[in-house]
Amino acid sequence: MNNAYILLLSLCGLNLNAQTEAQLDSIFQQHTTNLGEVIIRMDKPVFQQKADKMVFNVESSTLSEGSTVLEVLGRAPGVVVSQDGELSLRGKKGVSVMINGKLSSLSSKELANLLRSTNSSVVKNIEIIANPSAKYDAAGNAGIINIVLKKSVLEGLNGTVYVNGGRGRKNRVNSGLSLNYTHNKLSLYTDYSYTFRGEEERKAFDQDFFDPNQPNTLIKKTAQTYRTSEPLTSNNFKIGADYQVSTKTTLGVLFDAKIGRYENKSKGSSQIYTPIHTLFSDIRSNNYNDEHWYDYTFSMNGIHKFSEDGVHFDFDVEYENSKFRSLQTQLQENLLPSSENYPNRKGKIPSTLQVWNGKLDFTIPINEKQTLETGWKSIVKSNDNPSVYELEQNSQWIIDPVTTNHYDYKEQIHALYANYKIALDHWQIQFGLRNEYTDRKINQKTTKEEYNKNYNKLFPSASIKYETDNAHSYYASYSKRINRPSHFDLNPFRFYDDPFNYWQGNANLKPETTHATEVGYIWSKYLIATVYFSQTHDVMTQVYKYEQDHTILVKTQENLSKSYHYGTTLTATTNPTDFWTMSTMFNLFNNKYKGTYEGTTIDSEQLAFTLNAQNSFTLFKGIKAEVNAQYFSKSNIGLYKRDSYFDLSIGASTPVLKEKGSIKLALTDVLKTNNYTIQGDNFNSKVKQEYNLDSRIFTLSFNYKF
């Protein structure tokens, strides 16, 4: 009878999707096990929801091949990427990004460039942690996104080579090679990737101005249109080693280098109408921005087990040196000589960021059911940013004293934490406390102004989970979070996009703190429902100021007194047929902002929702297909509102070369409906900004493992 049963299994395929809290990354690796005549295949699901995080398995997604990490994040449930690369989670801004569990110290602009230049082929999965415990950094009041990179654990020499090409409005190419060698106690690994991403975007900025004494009377309007070419090239290197010194101690070293270049070639026109039917000014502009970055990271890590009962500590020491340089040229042609002239402008903006990062984590099992986690972490960073702007006068370039600036920034963050876990029958309880001390010094060397600030804050967290015997569970969690302004947000120098638009930091910007809580219900792997609420104090929000005399739009950040973010999510995984798996996430939320800005009371809110449906199909002869549809309704971003948009992407893959290789085809934004438009009232004016993104991309990829 047993022999007949084994023979029956050899004639059929068995697909399993499973999860367990004991798994290190909560998702099974795809593998094939030969048990005589029995072959069992297990595939990772693309999305998997756990009580404390959503796991997006990038390496199982056909649509993720040939993409950048930033583009992949835009397809993750609940994640929205702005046109500048800023991330929001479940409709809330202030997301912290970790790479392999290490918090990034880059500004949002620098981080966006890094994620744009990193190919998705090196990513294993993305963890979306909405309510982290005290063990994590308190940074990120909307939660944490942890990008987990691939690392082989197979014995001997093995590796992966990949190449892909894509076409949107411009061409794209990615290629890379990774090698791993493991023998006995030693593991060596290295990888290299090259990325070229061509991109073209079209933008339209409009603003209407009203008479302050007669709010319904339109007195002036501006219209700006631009077409940009934005090629990006990057070379990323990594080499590392892990060595098992003894049965209790393992040490590792890593060197990581990222070298890239980004260009922004922009041509546009700007018209001013005042009175509204009279063309007062007509300017043609030709702008060029050339950015280079050189990012080098050296790190050492290790783990030591004190005893067989599980007492151990982990340590990690890291040094990062990141150099950034931007060269700008902005040329203007005035088509109406009688109107105001805007001088040609050049800018040289170098920046050097240095970060020392050290942490020590202890895990102490008290008994079989209780565990204490405790540790320390310190971050010491500095940023030196001397920016020089020049204006052309009488065919000569002279330094502009108004915009030239030397900015020196230093920050230290020191943290201690304790986290206690206990498991009692059906209950899992966790609570912790984290203390973080922050010391920040800003020195405006040009103006001889200093801004010093230090503060100490406590960040409690707690969670409780109850599991029944029939695959139902219930949980609740609370945490206090902080979102500190970056060195870029605090830098009051001007970063010009063109003569009529520039970004300016705010040295007086305060960090925002958030109290967040949620409750939820889980039914096996099929369903999870969550209700969440958070309140943020001193909320940082983007605002637009206007230099009336020069018709220049200034983008900056200010603190409002409070914001409220609450909503509910519903995630369901179903198998309509034996070859079709569908994961759906629905998020209904409301953002409410309150405060005072420039003497005006702010009370803005918007009920919004997002819907994500990921469909995976297993077809004949190993062919797989994916269809990913996302809809985002109108939502508010601080004082302004983003219009609704829709994204539909499709892909297919087939195994080749005895299943060691694969060929994949993908098409993103099939209907060309993923654009970015914001608009709103801006104190006696209305603003509308439209970005026609280069989002419809066709990609052909080849991947081979050996």
Side-chain angles (χ1 to χ4, degrees):
M1 182 66 181
N2 290 337
N3 292 336
Y5 182 68
I6 293 175
L7 179 62
L8 178 62
L9 283 178
S10 69
L11 298 176
C12 67
L14 179 62
N15 292 321
L16 298 177
N17 292 328
Q19 105 180 53
T20 170
E21 293 291 332
Q23 288 294 114
L24 291 178
D25 61 2
S26 79
I27 300 180
F28 282 133
Q29 298 284 342
Q30 183 185 56
H31 62 276
T32 300
T33 305
N34 291 297
L35 302 174
E37 296 184 44
V38 180
I39 297 178
I40 300 177
R41 296 183 186 273
M42 292 180 290
D43 292 331
K44 296 179 182 178
V46 176
F47 297 109
Q48 186 166 18
Q49 177 73 59
K50 297 184 66 179
D52 60 339
K53 61 187 174 184
M54 161 76 76
V55 179
F56 176 16
N57 180 23
V58 175
E59 61 183 351
S60 290
S61 172
T62 301
L63 292 173
S64 296
E65 283 294 325
S67 299
T68 68
V69 174
L70 191 65
E71 290 168 336
V72 170
L73 283 172
R75 292 194 287 272
V79 178
V80 176
V81 181
S82 75
Q83 87 285 0
D84 295 322
E86 187 176 8
L87 303 174
S88 60
L89 180 60
R90 296 197 304 199
K92 182 176 176 61
K93 297 172 65 176
V95 180
S96 285
V97 174
M98 297 193 304
I99 299 177
N100 280 346
K102 299 178 181 179
L103 188 68
S104 171
S105 297
L106 300 176
S107 69
S108 59
K109 178 179 176 61
E110 294 165 335
L111 179 63
N113 278 338
L114 172 62
L115 298 179
R116 284 191 184 103
S117 63
T118 304
N119 190 272
S120 60
S121 298
V122 304
V123 178
K124 177 183 178 183
N125 57 51
I126 294 172
E127 299 174 343
I128 302 171
I129 310 169
N131 219 8
S133 70
K135 186 175 182 179
Y136 293 92
D137 291 83
N141 63 356
I144 293 174
I145 294 177
N146 184 29
I147 301 169
V148 182
L149 304 181
K150 295 177 182 177
K151 186 177 180 182
S152 176
V153 294
L154 298 177
E155 184 75 13
L157 179 65
N158 58 88
T160 302
V161 61
Y162 65 87
V163 61
N164 57 71
R167 175 72 185 184
R169 294 175 181 144
K170 303 284 186 177
N171 293 325
R172 301 183 177 198
V173 177
N174 299 111
S175 61
L177 170 69
S178 64
L179 293 173
N180 305 275
Y181 176 77
T182 301
H183 180 67
N184 295 333
K185 299 180 179 181
L186 178 65
S187 294
L188 302 173
Y189 54 94
T190 182
D191 65 58
Y192 165 76
S193 64
Y194 167 81
T195 299
F196 171 78
R197 189 203 67 181
E199 184 172 3
E200 179 185 295
E201 292 188 356
R202 295 142 192 186
K203 309 173 185 180
F205 299 166
D206 298 315
Q207 190 162 11
D208 295 334
F209 297 86
F210 298 88
D211 188 339
N213 300 318
Q214 303 180 52
N216 295 322
T217 302
L218 186 63
I219 58 174
K220 181 171 65 174
K221 64 179 181 180
T222 63
Q224 300 175 351
T225 58
Y226 299 93
R227 175 174 292 195
T228 65
S229 176
E230 304 177 38
L232 180 147
T233 305
S234 72
N235 293 272
N236 295 346
F237 310 84
K238 183 188 298 180
I239 183 168
D242 293 323
Y243 182 71
Q244 187 178 359
V245 180
S246 67
T247 57
K248 294 183 178 181
T249 305
T250 301
L251 297 177
V253 292
L254 174 67
F255 170 70
D256 192 357
K258 302 176 180 67
I259 301 172
R261 180 186 184 185
Y262 167 76
E263 298 174 86
N264 189 312
K265 307 169 186 177
S266 173
K267 292 186 177 182
S269 64
S270 302
Q271 289 88 34
I272 303 172
Y273 295 87
T274 180
I276 59 173
H277 299 298
T278 302
L279 181 60
F280 172 76
S281 178
D282 190 358
I283 305 291
R284 295 293 183 268
S285 58
N286 190 347
N287 308 311
Y288 179 64
N289 182 24
D290 184 15
E291 298 180 359
H292 292 255
W293 61 88
Y294 307 85
D295 187 279
Y296 305 104
T297 302
F298 307 83
S299 64
M300 175 179 288
N301 60 82
I303 181 172
H304 177 74
K305 298 179 181 179
F306 289 98
S307 60
E308 297 299 328
D309 60 3
V311 178
H312 67 273
F313 79 85
D314 302 79
F315 77 89
D316 200 317
V317 179
E318 181 179 276
Y319 170 71
E320 179 181 7
N321 185 292
S322 180
K323 294 184 178 180
F324 173 86
R325 186 197 70 190
S326 175
L327 298 177
Q328 300 178 357
T329 303
Q330 296 159 0
L331 307 177
Q332 283 69 242
E333 179 185 3
N334 193 344
L335 301 184
L336 293 179
S338 60
S339 64
E340 180 180 1
N341 286 314
Y342 292 86
N344 294 330
R345 180 183 298 274
K346 289 198 305 186
K348 182 179 180 180
I349 309 169
S351 174
T352 300
L353 174 68
Q354 297 187 73
V355 183
W356 286 95
N357 192 328
K359 69 173 184 174
L360 185 63
D361 297 305
F362 286 89
T363 301
I364 307 171
I366 301 172
N367 53 43
E368 292 183 354
K369 296 183 178 181
Q370 301 180 73
T371 302
L372 176 65
E373 298 173 326
T374 186
W376 151 85
K377 181 177 181 180
S378 287
I379 301 175
V380 179
K381 57 184 175 181
S382 63
N383 177 246
D384 185 51
N385 184 196
S387 59
V388 178
Y389 280 103
E390 296 178 291
L391 301 176
E392 186 179 24
Q393 293 184 3
N394 300 321
S395 301
Q396 292 188 351
W397 292 95
I398 63 171
I399 292 178
D400 180 11
V402 176
T403 56
T404 295
N405 180 55
H406 190 173
Y407 171 82
D408 183 66
Y409 173 89
K410 290 180 172 61
E411 183 180 65
Q412 297 185 39
I413 302 173
H414 304 284
L416 290 171
Y417 78 90
N419 199 52
Y420 172 76
K421 299 179 181 178
I422 183 171
L424 299 171
D425 297 328
H426 297 283
W427 294 90
Q428 297 176 28
I429 302 171
Q430 179 178 205
F431 55 87
L433 182 65
R434 187 179 186 93
N435 182 83
E436 291 192 354
Y437 171 79
T438 304
D439 182 82
R440 187 183 76 202
K441 293 181 172 62
I442 297 175
N443 183 5
Q444 290 288 102
K445 294 185 177 181
T446 303
T447 59
K448 296 181 173 54
E449 295 177 280
E450 293 187 2
Y451 304 84
N452 299 329
K453 187 176 182 63
N454 61 76
Y455 51 90
N456 190 79
K457 291 184 181 293
L458 294 174
F459 300 95
S461 65
S463 66
I464 184 170
K465 183 179 180 182
Y466 176 76
E467 296 179 326
T468 68
D469 293 324
N470 52 0
H472 298 278
S473 59
Y474 308 85
Y475 72 93
S477 64
Y478 161 81
S479 69
K480 181 183 176 183
R481 315 287 301 164
I482 188 171
N483 186 32
R484 300 177 181 88
S486 72
H487 55 275
F488 185 76
D489 297 326
L490 294 164
N491 191 342
F493 90 100
R494 299 179 182 181
F495 192 94
Y496 278 86
D497 294 322
D498 55 65
F500 307 97
N501 297 272
Y502 68 81
W503 161 268
Q504 186 171 31
N506 180 359
N508 294 308
L509 202 60
K510 295 182 288 187
E512 53 185 15
T513 56
T514 295
H515 297 270
T517 185
E518 64 178 62
V519 295
Y521 160 76
I522 303 173
W523 174 37
S524 185
K525 64 180 181 181
Y526 304 108
L527 179 69
I528 182 165
T530 302
V531 177
Y532 57 88
F533 173 84
S534 67
Q535 177 177 316
T536 301
H537 299 270
D538 296 321
V539 58
M540 296 184 293
T541 185
Q542 184 171 288
V543 298
Y544 294 94
K545 298 181 179 180
Y546 208 77
E547 295 183 4
Q548 292 276 4
D549 296 339
H550 301 289
T551 321
I552 295 177
L553 192 64
V554 184
K555 184 166 60 175
T556 187
Q557 288 200 86
E558 295 283 354
N559 291 106
L560 298 181
S561 59
K562 290 182 181 179
S563 73
Y564 303 90
H565 178 71
Y566 51 90
T568 181
T569 62
L570 184 67
T571 304
T573 301
T574 59
N575 293 91
T577 67
D578 57 356
F579 63 86
W580 177 13
T581 299
M582 181 170 64
S583 298
T584 304
M585 180 178 179
F586 176 74
N587 179 33
L588 178 68
F589 63 94
N590 188 23
N591 281 334
K592 183 178 179 66
Y593 294 84
K594 301 190 71 173
T596 301
Y597 176 63
E598 293 192 345
T600 302
T601 300
I602 307 298
D603 191 351
S604 170
E605 65 178 313
Q606 175 72 51
L607 184 66
F609 72 91
T610 65
L611 179 63
N612 180 292
Q614 175 75 35
N615 298 271
S616 301
F617 304 91
T618 303
L619 307 176
F620 57 91
K621 296 183 179 180
I623 297 177
K624 297 181 179 180
E626 281 186 36
V627 178
N628 187 346
Q630 300 182 88
Y631 178 78
F632 298 80
S633 72
K634 177 181 285 189
S635 59
N636 64 338
I637 307 174
L639 306 181
Y640 309 96
K641 295 187 178 180
R642 176 175 181 174
D643 287 355
S644 61
Y645 65 99
F646 176 72
D647 177 75
L648 175 66
S649 299
I650 59 176
S653 67
T654 182
V656 295
L657 302 176
K658 298 181 180 180
E659 298 192 353
K660 290 187 176 182
S662 65
I663 296 176
K664 301 183 179 183
L665 294 171
L667 180 62
T668 60
D669 195 14
V670 177
L671 303 178
K672 198 61 185 70
T673 49
N674 186 357
N675 292 315
Y676 189 91
T677 301
I678 63 171
Q679 52 189 319
D681 293 331
N682 194 58
F683 313 106
N684 300 322
S685 69
K686 289 185 177 180
V687 176
K688 182 177 183 181
Q689 299 189 353
E690 296 178 286
Y691 295 81
N692 188 334
L693 305 177
D694 192 357
S695 54
R696 181 189 286 165
I697 311 295
F698 173 78
T699 305
L700 173 63
S701 306
F702 172 73
N703 194 350
Y704 181 76
K705 297 181 180 180
F706 57 89

